[in-house]
Amino acid sequence: MILRPTFFLTTKPDWRDGTKIPASGGCVIAINHLSHVDPLTAAVFTHDHGRLPRYLAKSGLFKNKALGHFMRAAGQIPVERASRSAVGAYDAAVAAVRAGECIVVYPEGTITRDPDLWPMKGKSGAARIALETGCPVIPIGQWGAQELLAPYARKPDLFPRKTIHIVAGDPVDLSDLVDEPRSVEVLAEATERIMTAITVLVEEIRGEKAPAERFDPRKVGVAEIGNPHKNPKSPKSPRPPKQQKDSA
């Protein structure tokens, strides 16, 4: 009642293949991260296809009393990024999937640091949940949210209405890895399969090919948490993303 009218007033949805989200049963939805508005767009897409999404959300959002109360009441799961407390979020996510719920995960862990907003190197959370539970992982590619609210911007660009493209893909095949020990190599392979599936969908939406090598913040010394553009003079900060055109 609150989010949908706001969403459709300011955007034009381009939804594709949402029926690939399982109608029931536990599952993980893995989606690329472009903007702070992403949870809203993904929530509307998921709800439009019959599922109530639960998010692994950064713990800072829960510190606001009003927002935190709302998010807890909606069943969202706080994550202390880059800390041992993240284990509790993992356990909660596994329990939710086993209870038949739909968990939305941004495998990149934050808004992509790739200069052209391609999916960057992923973290293992989505893979770990899927391998532990045996649930399907549905990759989703999205594009357009960054036009509504640019990465780390505080003021949205509401008009003219922005087209939000979201495409769901077939479940990522991890069947050969489920019974393997949870080694670093196995988790890396599962994560890469998930990120590859997401990237293929983003390529489809944008009508372009992603870089051959996925952007890795650690390799170039870019901060993985917080706004990487706050210190533009730092040689380790990536250049701000160039303006993108709508490529429906």
Side-chain angles (χ1 to χ4, degrees):
M1 292 176 64
I2 298 172
L3 300 181
R4 286 178 60 82
T6 302
F7 179 79
F8 287 108
L9 179 66
T10 58
T11 66
K12 295 180 287 184
D14 173 28
W15 296 166
R16 306 182 211 171
D17 297 331
T19 54
K20 292 183 178 181
I21 298 174
S24 61
C27 65
V28 169
I29 289 178
I31 183 169
N32 61 305
H33 206 348
L34 297 168
S35 164
H36 282 136
V37 79
D38 289 348
L40 169 60
T41 59
V44 176
F45 177 80
T46 305
H47 188 267
D48 277 357
H49 293 94
R51 298 303 300 265
L52 292 175
R54 289 187 67 182
Y55 284 91
L56 297 180
K58 63 181 180 181
S59 60
L61 297 175
F62 292 78
K63 294 179 180 178
N64 179 290
K65 289 185 178 180
L67 180 60
H69 176 76
F70 178 83
M71 293 181 69
R72 288 186 181 90
Q76 311 313 332
I77 302 170
V79 179
E80 292 281 355
R81 296 185 296 184
S83 77
R84 294 181 179 180
S85 299
V87 174
Y90 164 76
D91 291 340
V94 167
V97 168
R98 286 176 171 162
E101 298 196 57
C102 174
I103 297 292
V104 178
V105 179
Y106 293 94
E108 295 158 287
T110 189
I111 293 173
T112 180
R113 269 53 173 148
D114 183 275
D116 294 321
L117 301 183
W118 288 104
M120 66 176 181
K121 184 177 177 64
K123 297 185 180 300
S124 64
R128 292 176 63 216
I129 296 167
L131 293 177
E132 181 65 26
T133 61
C135 75
V137 178
I138 308 301
I140 288 183
Q142 62 135 344
W143 189 247
Q146 79 285 352
E147 301 289 346
L148 179 61
L149 182 67
Y152 298 101
R154 295 186 177 184
K155 184 178 179 181
D157 182 7
L158 300 178
F159 301 104
R161 293 163 64 200
K162 307 301 186 292
T163 301
I164 308 297
H165 310 276
I166 301 184
V167 181
D170 294 320
V172 180
D173 186 6
L174 303 176
S175 58
D176 59 316
L177 303 178
V178 170
D179 295 327
E180 294 292 325
R182 304 293 186 261
S183 65
V184 172
E185 292 76 18
V186 166
L187 291 174
E189 173 62 24
T191 300
E192 182 58 24
R193 291 185 193 180
I194 292 170
M195 292 310 304
T196 296
I198 293 171
T199 302
V200 168
L201 295 171
V202 176
E203 288 178 330
E204 176 186 327
I205 297 170
R206 293 177 59 169
E208 303 173 64
K209 287 293 292 182
E213 182 177 354
R214 207 178 309 286
F215 188 86
D216 184 347
R218 292 186 178 183
K219 285 186 177 181
V220 295
V222 175
E224 296 183 78
I225 295 176
N227 186 345
H229 307 302
K230 280 188 174 180
N231 183 11
K233 294 182 180 180
S234 169
K236 293 184 177 181
S237 296
R239 65 184 184 276
K242 65 184 181 183
Q243 292 294 317
Q244 301 290 341
K245 295 182 179 180
D246 194 350
S247 54

